[in-house]
């Protein structure tokens, strides 16, 4: 963070670029554990590849290929971080389902044929409405650590082997979230500081201006 502050102060990195990089870094750290868990579980399910059509027999069932489809990821909270995570999942062709308190956002997602449930992440009924027992991962991006902890407790009870990743802005809430059942807790400031410092140092060494996508 000191390095980043210095980069901003000398004009190497402006405030808007800094803010965008923070969002990208947090999303990448949120997505990585869930992606890894999904990959491990997908590997165990991909025991049969589809037979090429020119050698298929009458006994081959084309519907068997549906069994390898990746189970969905549930995203709790669809603010900037949740939206960026959804884009990454779409690019990886992984289905996601959203829990969101904003009714307009839910309606917009439904118009886009996206699965979205209106409600609180800490509500068992809401979690069940997303099909959580069939999900492979739950990623909580909501800004409320108490609500996220409540969601962790319920989700862990509903599906003990579910992979749960939580993003928080408060270091003091890490212990509470871990105790509630989170597998991975990402603190915004720490994660962003570490990753952004490395990015800035790489760009300084290369003598180029950082690019933000």
């Amino acid at each position: 963070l000191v390095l980043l502050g210095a980069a901003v102060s000398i004009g190497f990195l402006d405030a808007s670029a800094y803010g965008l990089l923070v969002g990208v870094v947090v999303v990448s750290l949120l997505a990585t554990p869930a992606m890894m868990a999904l990959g491990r579980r997908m590997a165990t399910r991909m025991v049969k590849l589809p037979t090429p059509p020119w050698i298929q027999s009458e006994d081959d069932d084309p519907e068997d290929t549906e069994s390898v489809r990746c189970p969905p990821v549930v995203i709790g909270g669809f603010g900037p971080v949740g939206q960026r995570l959804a884009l990454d999942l779409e690019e990886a062709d992984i289905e996601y389902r959203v829990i969101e308190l904003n009714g307009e956002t839910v309606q917009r997602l439904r118009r886009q044929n996206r699965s979205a449930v209106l409600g609180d992440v800490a509500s068992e009924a809401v979690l069940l409405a997303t099909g959580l027992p069939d999900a492979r991962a739950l990623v909580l991006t909501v800004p409320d650590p108490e609500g996220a902890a409540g969601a962790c407790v319920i989700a862990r009870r509903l599906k003990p082997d579910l992979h749960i990743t939580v993003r928080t802005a408060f270091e003091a809430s890490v212990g509470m979230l871990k105790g509630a059942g989170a597998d991975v807790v990402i603190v915004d400031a720490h994660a962003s500081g570490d990753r952004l410092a490395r990015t800035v140092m790489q760009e300084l060494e290369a003598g180029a201006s950082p690019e933000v996508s």
Side-chain angles (χ1 to χ4, degrees), residues 124 127-128 132-133 153-160:
E124 180 172 344
L127 289 170
L128 286 172
L132 187 76
V153 171
I154 297 170
R156 185 63 67 205
R157 175 167 52 80
L158 292 174
K159 186 166 187 178

Side-chain angles (χ1 to χ4, degrees), residues 102-195:
N102 187 305
E104 292 182 0
T105 299
V106 170
Q107 291 300 321
R108 173 171 54 83
L109 287 167
R110 290 174 178 172
R111 287 194 297 269
Q112 297 170 353
N113 294 321
R114 298 297 181 187
S115 177
V117 177
L118 178 65
D120 189 341
V121 295
S123 164
E124 180 172 344
V126 169
L127 289 170
L128 286 172
T130 67
L132 187 76
D134 296 326
R136 289 299 185 183
L138 171 65
V139 183
L140 297 168
T141 71
V142 294
D144 173 23
E146 286 78 15
C152 288
V153 171
I154 297 170
R156 185 63 67 205
R157 175 167 52 80
L158 292 174
K159 186 166 187 178
D161 65 341
L162 183 70
H163 189 280
I164 304 175
T165 300
V166 184
R167 165 247 185 160
T168 181
F170 309 103
E171 183 177 4
S173 66
V174 172
M176 174 185 66
L177 292 166
K178 285 277 192 177
D183 294 294
V184 177
V185 179
I186 298 170
V187 180
D188 288 355
H190 292 179
S192 301
D194 291 344
R195 291 290 296 274

